[in-house]
Amino acid sequence: MRVGVFTPLLSQLPLSEVLKKLKAQGISTVELATGNYPGDAHCKLSMLDDDRECDAFRKLLDDQGFSISALSCHGNALHPNAAHAAIVELDFCGVLGAGGAIGAGEGSRVSKYQLVLARTAGLATVATLSS
C-alpha cells in the first residue's frame, strides 16, 4: 500500500523540502494542489507553458522517487458570483488538461492562450472548454 500526502499542509515550504521530509518518512506519493481554495504553492499550472519548467518539475519528482496520486483544485463552481464561479470552473478545466503534461497520468495540455481567452470571455468559453 502506498501512503500519500496532500502537500498544501506544508505549503510554507518549497516543494523540494516537502519531498525530502516526506521521503524521510517513507512516503513516495503526493497529491498536489493546483489552485482555488488550497492554493498552488507546489504546482502552478502556468508551468505548462514552459517546457523547461515542466521538465524540471517532473525531474524533481522523479529524482526523489515520487509519483502524483492526484491534482486538486477545490473550489465552488456554484458560487453565486458568476465571475468567481467561472474562474473556479476554468481552473478545474486547466487541471484536467495538466495531468499528462506533469506526469500524473494521461491527459492533454491546455495552453495559456486558451486560459486567457476563457478568462476574458467568461462563462460562455468555460462551457466550450468543458465540453
Side-chain angles (χ1 to χ4, degrees):
M1 173 176 77
R2 296 185 97 175
V3 175
V5 169
F6 186 44
T7 65
L9 300 171
L10 300 166
S11 64
Q12 74 280 10
L13 299 173
L15 182 58
S16 59
E17 292 299 315
V18 170
L19 297 179
K20 287 178 189 174
K21 285 183 174 292
L22 297 179
K23 188 174 186 177
Q25 299 299 315
I27 295 169
S28 62
T29 306
V30 290
E31 177 178 343
L32 300 166
T34 60
N36 291 315
Y37 298 145
D40 64 356
H42 300 131
C43 186
K44 297 186 184 321
L45 293 181
S46 61
M47 82 172 106
L48 296 173
D49 294 313
D50 183 338
D51 288 339
R52 284 181 285 175
E53 188 178 350
C54 202
D55 290 344
F57 178 82
R58 284 193 305 260
K59 184 176 181 343
L60 175 63
L61 291 170
D62 290 344
D63 287 354
Q64 294 293 325
F66 277 82
S67 63
I68 300 170
S69 62
L71 297 175
S72 296
C73 187
H74 309 200
N76 182 2
L78 301 175
H79 194 281
N81 178 318
H84 177 82
I87 290 171
V88 168
E89 187 168 345
L90 178 62
D91 288 343
F92 175 74
C93 291
V95 170
L96 293 178
I102 62 171
E106 298 299 318
S108 61
R109 287 174 63 156
V110 176
S111 76
K112 73 177 178 184
Y113 304 107
Q114 287 172 304
L115 294 175
V116 168
L117 284 171
R119 285 187 193 270
T120 303
L123 286 171
T125 304
V126 170
T128 302
L129 284 176
S130 299
S131 55

